[in-house]
Amino acid sequence: MSLRAFGDRNKGRYRYSGRYDGGVAVYYYDDTPDGRVYSGQFWFKRRSYSIPHGKIVETVSGQYSGGLRKGRWTFTHKGGGMHSRLAVDYSEGRHEGKYKYFAVRRHSSTDFVDGISRISFSMSGDRPVGAVKGVFKGEILVGSYDSEGRPDGLWQVDSSKTDSCMIDYEVWEHGICREAYSVDVSTGTKRTDKAHITEFVASFVYRECLPLERLAGIGSGT
């Protein structure tokens, strides 16, 4: 149902509370000739059931301004043996600020990794910038992007505390990989390798994070 909203200049004139995209939502909006323009707090929750994943609960919370996402948004998924949470900062519908993902898997699956996964970096103008850090089933990843969103400097995946006993290195210069190699820490053996770390990060974000952002896809470029 739709009700008039009062008392907060940052909210739209009307408040909606009811069914939304297979779940329920509460949000504020203004009516225009082109349709509803979201403005103010937004909250969404959907429960579903599927085989073999069982019960799944998904939530979204954040804020709109003029139909565009702004500030910190939080997306969660729980079910199918996995609990994940994504926090993203927006400005005028674009990624601007922190981008943090955390997930725990409680059983083996066909996904990238089991156990704990996390990745964090910053965004500016929808591009990753600065340091990136990640943990994937005991493997520790570090790297960095330049101001244009290109891999730059030393990237490393440390798997020395896993069964592989390896550390992978890639040296990037503004999007160009100058060197890629691996070191077996148990023997000291060094071998030339193909660049793969930055591709893994991009693939992980597209597979694990973007589906969460798209749970409520209005007001961003995702």
Side-chain angles (χ1 to χ4, degrees):
M1 62 183 299
S2 299
L3 301 171
R4 288 184 180 273
F6 299 97
D8 189 340
R9 293 181 179 179
N10 295 320
K11 292 180 180 178
R13 187 177 181 184
Y14 298 96
R15 178 181 183 269
Y16 174 83
S17 178
R19 296 179 181 178
Y20 184 95
D21 195 19
V24 294
V26 178
Y27 62 82
Y28 296 86
Y29 68 96
D30 291 312
D31 267 331
T32 73
D34 296 324
R36 294 183 177 182
V37 175
Y38 291 29
S39 186
Q41 293 295 319
F42 177 93
W43 177 86
F44 168 73
K45 186 173 186 178
R46 179 169 60 205
R47 293 186 175 92
S48 60
Y49 185 89
S50 68
I51 298 174
H53 299 299
K55 180 181 177 182
I56 296 173
V57 179
E58 299 162 311
T59 68
V60 180
S61 63
Q63 188 170 3
Y64 283 103
S65 177
L68 299 174
R69 292 178 183 176
K70 75 169 187 177
R72 175 67 53 88
W73 279 66
T74 302
F75 311 83
T76 70
H77 169 103
K78 187 174 183 180
M82 184 178 75
H83 189 181
S84 58
R85 181 181 186 274
L86 175 68
V88 184
D89 291 339
Y90 296 92
S91 177
E92 297 182 344
R94 306 181 73 184
H95 297 92
E96 196 75 37
K98 297 297 182 182
Y99 197 102
K100 296 183 178 181
Y101 174 84
F102 176 84
V104 178
R105 286 186 173 84
R106 295 181 175 84
H107 62 76
S108 297
S109 68
T110 57
D111 293 321
F112 278 102
V113 289
D114 301 326
I116 294 176
S117 303
R118 58 164 60 95
I119 190 167
S120 64
F121 50 91
S122 295
M123 299 280 282
S124 178
D126 283 332
R127 296 174 178 175
V129 295
V132 54
K133 299 179 180 179
V135 176
F136 309 95
K137 198 181 178 182
E139 298 182 349
I140 301 173
L141 179 150
V142 293
S144 62
Y145 297 96
D146 66 13
S147 60
E148 298 297 321
R150 300 170 298 191
D152 193 42
L154 178 65
W155 285 67
Q156 174 182 306
V157 173
D158 187 343
S159 307
S160 60
K161 292 182 170 57
T162 69
D163 292 340
S164 69
C165 294
M166 301 291 292
I167 302 180
D168 298 330
Y169 299 93
E170 293 176 9
V171 180
W172 289 81
E173 184 177 350
H174 301 297
I176 299 174
C177 186
R178 298 299 188 186
E179 186 178 15
Y181 60 95
S182 300
V183 175
D184 186 329
V185 296
S186 65
T187 63
T189 303
K190 177 181 177 180
R191 70 166 186 264
T192 302
D193 206 349
K194 292 183 178 180
H196 65 278
I197 301 175
T198 59
E199 291 181 2
F200 170 81
V201 170
S203 181
F204 185 90
V205 170
Y206 274 103
R207 179 168 173 170
E208 301 287 322
C209 303
L210 285 187
L212 289 176
E213 283 193 80
R214 289 169 176 161
L215 288 177
I218 298 173
S220 76
T222 59

